């Protein structure tokens, strides 16, 4: 087998660079997985590389499974392809009894149970949504190697807004770590940290691991965080047989600690490295590629894609009066695509935050369009799938070799809900889609001569690699969850300023990450691309929203680009007239005091019932929209509202921290609360 056959010139250059250091800058849809798998296969077949000495590192179990499958097909079945955590846990578990002693620690799948207990010990009673935000902040601290006592300073330096006051987060962080250590548990971050520490402190362990793995490939290198980089450097031990692959324009996880710095500075860290740019886009039509290039035209990491597919339809931009109208319009357009022959499994609706999915779930249910909510439970963890696998495994033990596979599987699945025709929608339809996917997989394998035991073995392999069979239904997913996937038709919805970019993206770095997020969404589409926005949240609300600034000049419905400062307006705010305390008149220097309009030490007069009502309302909104409470309004902003009791939109806008986006989103509710207080008073 000639593993170099069929590669384009740039992919071939990657495959021929069998020794590191090698950096592959791969744009969306340019065949990076093909390039690196053929590189590994070529190194094994013609470069004298032992497949057992190769460690290909990915970020998801599914990606690792895909790498293994492709490498098996290319004649390199012995290559290890694992996630950072899976590779580290395997090593840590193996060496623990020898160098530490006793049983290896158990892995904590979720931080929430320990955090709930830590909160109770501190006599706190936060809700689960708040604790999920705390867990995410602890994960950021751990991957960036920030100890509990150093968190407040590190959070300020990184411009992070903690979900609870920093001193409280420190205590929760310390309590969580104490409980984890006491109970001999490790979380995903500790797995990486301990593996690196064991190798550093025990030379014999390092020598054995480095003797085993000599040839490293790391996919999605733009998403590597400092802790993963520490482990990778420890694995390498000063060697440079390393190939990294990534796209700095798809860096969308910096809030978790990921940084493109390691990718963009690879040639600086490794002088003389081979750097190859993959720019031939095999996924999308020229029309989609052109839009993607224009969105990223000002990126410092500009990587212009060159479309390889035939022309297709132009991207469609749609403006709606309100969000229900937008959801209905999308559902009707999806039905038209379905009527034109586009399979539902090849259609996706992508949004910025998960709370946006509800309107589309309802619209698709009303329109009779099947849908799948990505980011919910994994396919092989669904109750109906687990039940089916148990029944199929039991049947396989006593299977009759003469019994055809497909009828046997259909008979078993019919007993737990698989019917000839799908139910109308909702939960029953989702269960039916899962069972039907298993039945279709059985039919496909039956065509190859497989029997029931072989089918069950295939299911177990797929479960271990999180390789779900294709499901029928339109995919509903957040932009973050869509990364790495692709569809024939993609709908990017809710494309307004305040949503993309999200309202709490303030720094230039945060704004640019939002632009990259839109770019990721656009490049998921192979042929049909629809971008839409609504001018108001509800039919009764004022239509004051505007399309995302990232679409300026790109859509016939958006205005030409308005010159924007290279930096946000912070410098101009610094030149604004000084704000005086409305109680004593002293100039206010602190941001919190400016927001309140008074010195922190000056007496405050406010209605306690209003403040409590505002906090209760904020908690309900945060829970409904699945965002931290501070994203709605900070405590200081609520305090300022309670003190000033605004009665008009202009008065509300005069409070620092409330802009047009938040006025449109929350203004009516806040003014109504203030009005009720005025009436009661």
């Amino acid at each position: 087998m000639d593993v170099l056959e069929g590669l384009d010139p740039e992919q071939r250059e990657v495959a021929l660079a069998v020794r590191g250091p090698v950096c592959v800058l791969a744009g969306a849809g340019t065949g990076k997985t093909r390039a690196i798998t053929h590189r590994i296969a070529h190194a094994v077949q013609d470069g004298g590389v032992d497949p057992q000495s190769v460690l290909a590192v990915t970020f998801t179990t599914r990606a690792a499974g895909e790498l293994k499958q492709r490498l098996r097909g290319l004649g390199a079945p012995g290559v290890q392809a694992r996630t950072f955590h899976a590779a580290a846990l395997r090593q840590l578990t193996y060496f623990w009894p020898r160098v530490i002693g006793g049983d290896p620690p158990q892995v904590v799948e979720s931080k929430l149970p320990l955090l709930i207990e830590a909160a109770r010990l501190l006599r706190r009673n936060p809700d689960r949504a708040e604790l999920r935000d705390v867990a995410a902040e602890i994960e950021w601290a751990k991957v960036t190697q920030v100890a509990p006592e150093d968190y407040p300073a590190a959070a300020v330096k990184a411009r992070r807004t903690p979900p609870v006051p920093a001193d409280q987060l420190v205590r929760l962080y310390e309590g969580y770590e104490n409980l984890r250590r006491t109970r001999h548990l490790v979380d995903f971050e500790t797995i990486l940290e301990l593996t690196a520490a064991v190798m550093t402190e025990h030379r014999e362990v390092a020598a054995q691991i480095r003797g085993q793995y000599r040839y490293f490939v790391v996919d999605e290198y733009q998403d590597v965080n400092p802790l993963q980089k520490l482990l990778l450097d420890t694995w390498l031990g000063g060697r440079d047989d390393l190939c990294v692959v990534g796209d700095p324009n798809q860096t969308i996880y910096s809030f978790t600690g990921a940084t493109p710095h390691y990718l963009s500075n690879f040639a600086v860290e490794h002088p003389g490295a081979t750097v190859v740019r993959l720019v031939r886009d095999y996924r999308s039509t020229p029309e989609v590629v052109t839009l993607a290039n224009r969105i990223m035209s000002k990126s410092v990491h500009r990587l212009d894609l060159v479309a390889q597919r035939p022309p297709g339809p132009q991207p469609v931009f749609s403006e709606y009066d309100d969000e229900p109208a937008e959801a209905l319009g999308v559902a009707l357009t999806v039905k038209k695509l379905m009527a034109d022959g586009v399979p539902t499994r090849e259609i996706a609706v992508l949004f910025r935050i998960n709370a946006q999915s509800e309107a589309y779930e309802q619209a698709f249910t009303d329109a009779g369009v099947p849908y799948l909510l990505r980011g919910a439970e994994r396919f092989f963890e669904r109750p109906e799938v687990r039940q089916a696998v148990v029944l199929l495994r039991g049947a396989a033990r006593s299977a009759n070799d003469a019994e055809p596979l497909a009828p046997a599987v259909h008979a078993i699945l019919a007993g737990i809900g698989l019917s000839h025709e799908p139910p109308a929608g909702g939960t029953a339809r989702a269960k039916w889609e899962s069972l039907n996917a298993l039945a279709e997989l059985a039919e496909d394998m039956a065509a190859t001569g497989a029997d029931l035991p072989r089918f069950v073995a295939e299911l177990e392999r797929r479960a271990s690699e999180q390789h779900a069979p294709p499901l029928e239904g339109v995919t509903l997913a957040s932009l973050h969850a869509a990364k790495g996937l692709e569809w024939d038709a993609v709908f990017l919805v809710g494309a307004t300023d305040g949503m993309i970019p999200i309202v709490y993206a303030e720094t230039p770095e945060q704004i640019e990450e939002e632009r990259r997020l839109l770019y990721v969404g656009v490049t998921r589409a192979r042929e049909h691309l629809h971008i839409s926005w609504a001018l108001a949240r509800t039919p009764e609300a004022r239509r004051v929203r505007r399309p995302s600034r990232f679409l300026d000049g790109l859509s016939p419905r958006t205005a030409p680009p308005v010159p924007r400062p290279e930096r946000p307006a912070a410098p101009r705010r610094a030149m604004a007239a000084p704000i005086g305390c409305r109680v004593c008149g002293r100039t206010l220097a602190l941001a919190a005091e400016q927001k309140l309009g008074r010195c922190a030490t000056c007496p405050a007069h406010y209605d306690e019932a209003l403040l409590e009502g505002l906090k209760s309302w904020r908690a309900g909104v945060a829970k409904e929209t699945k965002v931290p409470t501070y994203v709605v309004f900070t405590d200081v902003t609520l305090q300022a509202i309670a003190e000033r009791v605004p009665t008009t939109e202009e008065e509300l806008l005069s409070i620092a921290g409330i802009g047009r986006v938040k006025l449109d989103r929350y203004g009516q509710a806040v003014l109504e609360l203030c009005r009720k207080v005025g009436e009661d008073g």
Side-chain angles (χ1 to χ4, degrees), residues 128-160:
R128 293 179 72 89
E130 185 179 82
L131 283 182
R132 278 194 291 269
D133 295 333
V134 170
E137 200 66 8
I138 291 174
E139 286 168 8
W140 171 81
K142 297 188 75 169
V143 301
T144 53
Q145 298 287 273
V146 172
E149 63 272 17
D150 299 327
Y151 172 80
V156 170
K157 184 177 179 180
R159 295 185 177 184
R160 296 183 74 87

Side-chain angles (χ1 to χ4, degrees), residues 115 222-223 368 436 470 596 654:
L115 270 176
Q222 79 279 350
D223 290 333
N436 188 59
L596 288 172
S654 69

Side-chain angles (χ1 to χ4, degrees), residues 327-328 330-332 335 338 360-370 424:
L328 175 60
V330 169
L332 294 176
K335 291 198 77 169
M338 292 166 58
Y360 294 90
E361 293 177 52
Q362 186 62 55
F364 283 4
T365 299
D366 293 343
V369 175

Side-chain angles (χ1 to χ4, degrees), residues 201-219:
E201 295 172 11
H202 299 273
R203 293 182 180 179
E204 70 280 11
V205 173
Q208 188 169 339
I209 291 175
R210 290 169 187 160
Q212 169 74 50
Y213 298 116
R214 300 176 174 272
Y215 193 86
F216 292 84
V217 178
V218 184
D219 195 11

Side-chain angles (χ1 to χ4, degrees), residues 246-290:
D247 180 2
N249 287 331
Q250 294 191 66
T251 304
I252 59 173
Y253 293 107
S254 64
F255 62 92
T256 67
T259 170
H261 175 79
Y262 304 125
L263 177 63
S264 57
N265 279 19
F266 188 84
V268 176
E269 184 180 358
H270 300 275
T274 299
V275 179
V276 184
R277 289 172 171 79
L278 301 183
V279 296
R280 300 173 196 250
D281 188 319
Y282 298 95
R283 174 187 300 159
S284 305
T285 61
E287 291 78 8
V288 173
V289 168
T290 297

Side-chain angles (χ1 to χ4, degrees), residues 263-329:
L263 177 63
S264 57
N265 279 19
F266 188 84
V268 176
E269 184 180 358
H270 300 275
T274 299
V275 179
V276 184
R277 289 172 171 79
L278 301 183
V279 296
R280 300 173 196 250
D281 188 319
Y282 298 95
R283 174 187 300 159
S284 305
T285 61
E287 291 78 8
V288 173
V289 168
T290 297
L291 180 61
N293 285 338
R294 293 181 68 188
I295 287 173
M296 298 306 296
S297 61
K298 296 181 181 179
S299 170
V300 295
H301 302 295
R302 184 170 178 172
L303 195 67
D304 280 344
L305 303 175
V306 181
Q308 304 297 301
R309 287 189 56 178
Q314 287 289 342
V316 177
F317 298 86
S318 303
E319 183 176 279
Y320 296 92
D321 287 341
D322 49 67
E323 289 181 7
E326 183 181 11
L328 175 60

Side-chain angles (χ1 to χ4, degrees), residues 180-200:
R180 182 188 60 75
R181 292 192 192 99
T182 301
R183 295 176 185 178
H184 197 47
L185 303 171
V186 291
D187 53 28
F188 292 119
E189 298 78 38
T190 308
I191 290 169
L192 306 189
E193 195 172 38
L194 285 177
T195 303
V198 167
M199 289 184 68
T200 302

